[in-house]
Amino acid sequence: MQFEEFVKRVSKLSNLDLPGQEAHYLMAPAERIQQLSALDVEQRKPREAGVMAVFYPNSKGETTLVLILRRTYKGVHSNQVGFPGGKAEAVDVDLEDTARRETEEEVGLKGADIRVLKKLTRLYIPPSNFWVQPFIGVVDYTPEFIPEEAEVAAILEVPLTAFLSDNSLIRRQIDTSYGSMIDVPAFQLAGHVVWGATAMMLSEIKWVLRQIDTF
């Protein structure tokens, strides 16, 4: 879809109710749902983070979403695909400010250039003990991405049509924090398997885009 048409359609996002867990759980294995239902999240005193789902026109004017492949490191999200974003810092006004700042740091896209269209449903991530607040945003030009070398192994540019296609939905056996070789629903995007919290947030994005019009 051409970006100009996309922008016209997503202008309706602000008035749309969110599905929340209903959409998240479409991309969550049963083991994760059971784990979440058994947790007293607030007692764990989770930290907060903000992430940004940024849509933009590629060089052909086609609507595209940016994701990142994180570098291999000693952490629970090592070598996983995610959104640009990260933990809240004292300098941030709010979590939208966090998502803008972290997006600029990780992929070189100026946070001030992002027009935020929708605050999505926050998601708790047990392995890292974070509440993550996602946002949908757009920029009206084709960015020149600059990956942050210490954290970002690759920048993944995902066409909107590929993301929304049912052909992007797969299942894989994956080692997770809650079990070995768990059957996991996932997206196949830009040559990578996208699962876990990122897939759950993508599920809500896909749901809201399909509600506002026929994509």
Side-chain angles (χ1 to χ4, degrees), residues 10-11 17 19 42 50 56 60 75 78 85 92 99 102 104 106 108 133 136 148 153 166 175 194 199 207-208:
V10 294
S11 64
D17 292 334
E42 297 307 327
Y56 59 93
K60 297 180 180 179
S78 172
D92 300 329
E102 285 282 344
E104 184 165 344
E106 291 189 335
Q133 178 60 65
I136 296 178
E148 203 285 310
D166 288 339
D175 289 334
V194 186
W207 190 95
V208 297

Side-chain angles (χ1 to χ4, degrees), residues 4-196:
E4 289 183 5
E5 179 62 23
F6 175 79
V7 169
K8 289 178 184 177
R9 297 188 186 191
V10 294
S11 64
K12 304 173 185 177
L13 275 178
S14 60
N15 298 321
L16 188 68
D17 292 334
L18 294 171
Q21 280 190 349
E22 181 182 352
H24 289 165
Y25 283 1
L26 291 175
M27 297 302 292
E31 291 83 355
R32 181 168 191 141
I33 295 172
Q34 292 169 2
Q35 182 188 45
L36 288 170
S37 64
L39 287 176
D40 184 343
V41 175
E42 297 307 327
Q43 188 177 36
R44 302 187 75 187
K45 295 181 171 55
R47 296 171 290 174
E48 293 189 315
V51 300
M52 189 71 71
V54 182
F55 291 91
Y56 59 93
N58 67 9
S59 59
K60 297 180 180 179
E62 299 164 341
T63 306
T64 308
L65 169 69
V66 63
L67 297 172
I68 61 173
L69 175 64
R70 299 202 175 275
R71 288 200 177 277
T72 301
Y73 67 101
K74 292 182 180 179
V76 295
H77 303 302
S78 172
N79 199 39
Q80 291 183 14
V81 174
F83 296 103
K87 65 180 179 180
E89 303 287 358
V91 297
D92 300 329
V93 174
D94 52 25
L95 289 174
E96 181 180 317
D97 196 36
T98 299
R100 290 178 186 273
R101 175 182 56 76
E102 285 282 344
T103 296
E104 184 165 344
E105 291 176 5
E106 291 189 335
V107 302
L109 176 60
K110 290 186 180 299
D113 290 351
I114 301 170
R115 180 157 50 93
V116 173
L117 302 177
K118 188 75 173 177
K119 179 181 179 180
L120 297 169
T121 305
R122 70 174 183 167
L123 178 65
Y124 179 65
I125 304 180
S128 55
N129 195 30
F130 268 100
W131 274 117
V132 176
Q133 178 60 65
F135 299 87
I136 296 178
V138 296
V139 291
D140 297 324
Y141 58 85
T142 304
E144 294 185 11
F145 293 115
I146 304 171
E148 203 285 310
E149 292 186 4
E151 296 184 22
V152 180
I155 289 175
L156 310 179
E157 300 189 63
V158 180
L160 175 67
T161 51
F163 165 50
L164 293 180
S165 171
D166 288 339
N167 292 332
S168 68
L169 298 174
I170 61 172
R171 300 193 75 89
R172 287 290 186 271
Q173 300 287 319
I174 295 175
D175 289 334
T176 74
S177 61
Y178 39 86
S180 298
M181 298 304 289
I182 300 296
D183 183 53
V184 173
F187 289 92
Q188 180 83 41
L189 299 172
H192 292 268
V193 176
V194 186
W195 60 283

